[in-house]
């Protein structure tokens, strides 16, 4: 049974995208990347938009680790991922482990950082592996680490994440709302203002796009059959990764 019954309204996202006229392919030069430093936000509030911020030692350690690893723009994205995911889960009465949801949200984009990127894996797997190493060092049990690993590795695959444990679905739903606006309309305007006042976006779109393009340029083969490969085909001249239909038609079979 799915953890979340909410399906992302992709048609609404497509309509907004078309209205903004942003479908035209274009390279985006000189964008900031997540590896750059920036001003770090102050200590976390105990509650944001009615959502408690966990105060366990593991949650505090994870927030401190994320705060040190990320520039402010990406740290705030990770915090919004947690709050948005909780808001979507709570409105459905979904029960979940708040500490695990927070830890996975806080660490879910580690793979975007150059420090944790490997030459051949997509950023979701790199991030999951980095989180696993961090949590192992904190003495977290293997079963809880597995939940965090899956939440991070699957956060861009909502169709799968929604069928997994609620903490896994929550990270996918929260990051999808913040990245693409999925289910934006389900968040009351006053609640949205509260979230953004605590964790401002501060140029998140441009930084995320710049970092995504860096990954695609540096290790394109890691994104074969990955949804982000379409960004490379649209925005990077002579992007070397073929489309899925090209891969299918060139498979080494007679028919």
């Amino acid at each position: 049974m799915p953890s979340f019954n909410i399906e992302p309204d992709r048609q609404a996202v497509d309509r907004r995208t078309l209205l903004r006229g942003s479908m035209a392919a274009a390279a985006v030069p000189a964008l900031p990347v997540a590896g750059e430093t920036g001003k770090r936000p102050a200590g976390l509030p105990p509650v944001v938009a009615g959502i408690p911020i966990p105060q366990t030692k593991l949650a505090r350690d994870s927030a401190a680790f994320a705060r040190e690893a990320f520039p402010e723009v990406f740290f705030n994205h990770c915090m919004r991922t947690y709050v948005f995911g909780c808001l979507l889960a709570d409105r459905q009465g979904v029960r979940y482990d708040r500490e695990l949801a927070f830890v996975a949200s806080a660490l879910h984009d580690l793979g975007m950082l150059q420090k944790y990127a490997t030459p051949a894996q997509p950023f979701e797997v790199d991030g999951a592996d980095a989180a696993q190493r961090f949590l192992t060092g904190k003495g977290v049990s293997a079963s809880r680490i597995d939940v965090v690993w899956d939440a991070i590795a699957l956060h861009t695959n909502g169709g799968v994440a929604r069928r997994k444990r609620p903490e896994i679905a929550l990270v996918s739903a929260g990051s999808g709302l913040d990245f693409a606006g999925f289910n934006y309309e389900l968040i009351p305007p006053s609640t949205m203002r509260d979230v953004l006042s605590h964790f401002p976006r501060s140029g998140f779109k441009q930084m995320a796009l710049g970092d995504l393009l860096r990954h695609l340029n540096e290790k394109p083969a890691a994104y074969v059959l990955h949804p982000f490969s379409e960004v490379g085909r649209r925005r990077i001249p002579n992007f070397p990764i073929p489309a899925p239909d090209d891969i299918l038609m060139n498979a080494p079979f007679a028919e």
Side-chain angles (χ1 to χ4, degrees):
M1 182 176 181
S3 301
F4 279 62
N5 293 319
I6 296 176
E7 291 286 339
D9 187 354
R10 290 184 173 84
Q11 289 186 341
V13 174
D14 290 344
R15 287 193 296 272
R16 290 195 295 270
T17 302
L18 288 167
L19 286 171
R20 292 187 185 118
S22 60
M23 292 297 289
V28 181
L31 293 176
V33 299
E36 296 176 353
T37 59
K39 181 182 178 183
R40 299 299 195 272
L44 294 175
V47 178
V48 174
I51 300 300
I53 305 297
Q55 299 299 316
T56 64
K57 184 178 187 307
L58 179 61
R60 294 195 306 270
D61 287 349
S62 298
F65 181 73
R67 189 193 302 278
E68 180 65 26
F70 292 115
E72 181 182 7
V73 173
F74 264 70
F75 178 82
N76 284 352
H77 163 63
C78 293
M79 295 298 102
R80 292 193 305 270
T81 291
Y82 167 74
V83 176
F84 285 148
C86 290
L87 287 168
L88 293 174
D90 289 354
R91 76 187 305 275
Q92 292 189 25
V94 174
R95 299 181 63 182
Y96 55 93
D97 184 315
R98 196 174 293 277
E99 180 187 65
L100 278 182
F102 179 81
V103 169
S105 297
L107 306 179
H108 83 275
D109 267 345
L110 286 176
M112 294 299 283
L113 301 172
Q114 290 177 310
K115 180 177 181 179
Y116 301 110
T118 65
Q121 295 184 151
F123 84 95
E124 302 96 330
V125 178
D126 283 343
D129 287 347
Q132 181 182 50
R133 292 191 295 270
F134 168 75
L135 296 175
T136 298
K138 294 295 178 181
V140 178
S141 69
S143 61
R144 292 176 73 76
I145 292 175
D146 285 347
V147 176
V148 173
W149 196 97
D150 283 353
I152 296 174
L154 292 172
H155 80 267
T156 60
N157 192 333
V160 174
R162 283 193 300 275
R163 302 302 296 265
K164 304 287 281 184
R165 279 184 52 135
E167 299 83 13
I168 298 169
L170 185 153
V171 176
S172 179
S175 61
L177 197 163
D178 198 55
F179 183 89
F182 291 149
N183 298 310
Y184 180 95
E185 66 282 356
L186 298 180
I187 307 299
S190 61
T191 302
M192 183 64 72
R193 286 194 295 272
D194 192 9
V195 176
L196 297 182
S197 69
H198 282 93
F199 304 120
R201 291 178 66 86
S202 305
F204 171 70
K205 289 181 180 180
Q206 292 301 308
M207 179 170 278
L209 178 57
D211 210 52
L212 195 161
L213 290 171
R214 177 178 62 81
H215 273 250
L216 291 168
N217 271 306
E218 291 179 353
K219 51 176 182 178
Y223 294 94
V224 173
L225 297 179
H226 188 286
F228 287 176
S229 64
E230 181 60 23
V231 179
R233 284 190 287 274
R234 292 180 58 243
R235 294 180 179 269
I236 299 174
N238 302 313
F239 187 65
I241 299 305
D245 57 327
D246 296 321
I247 294 173
L248 168 67
M249 299 309 295
N250 284 283
F253 300 98
E255 53 76 32

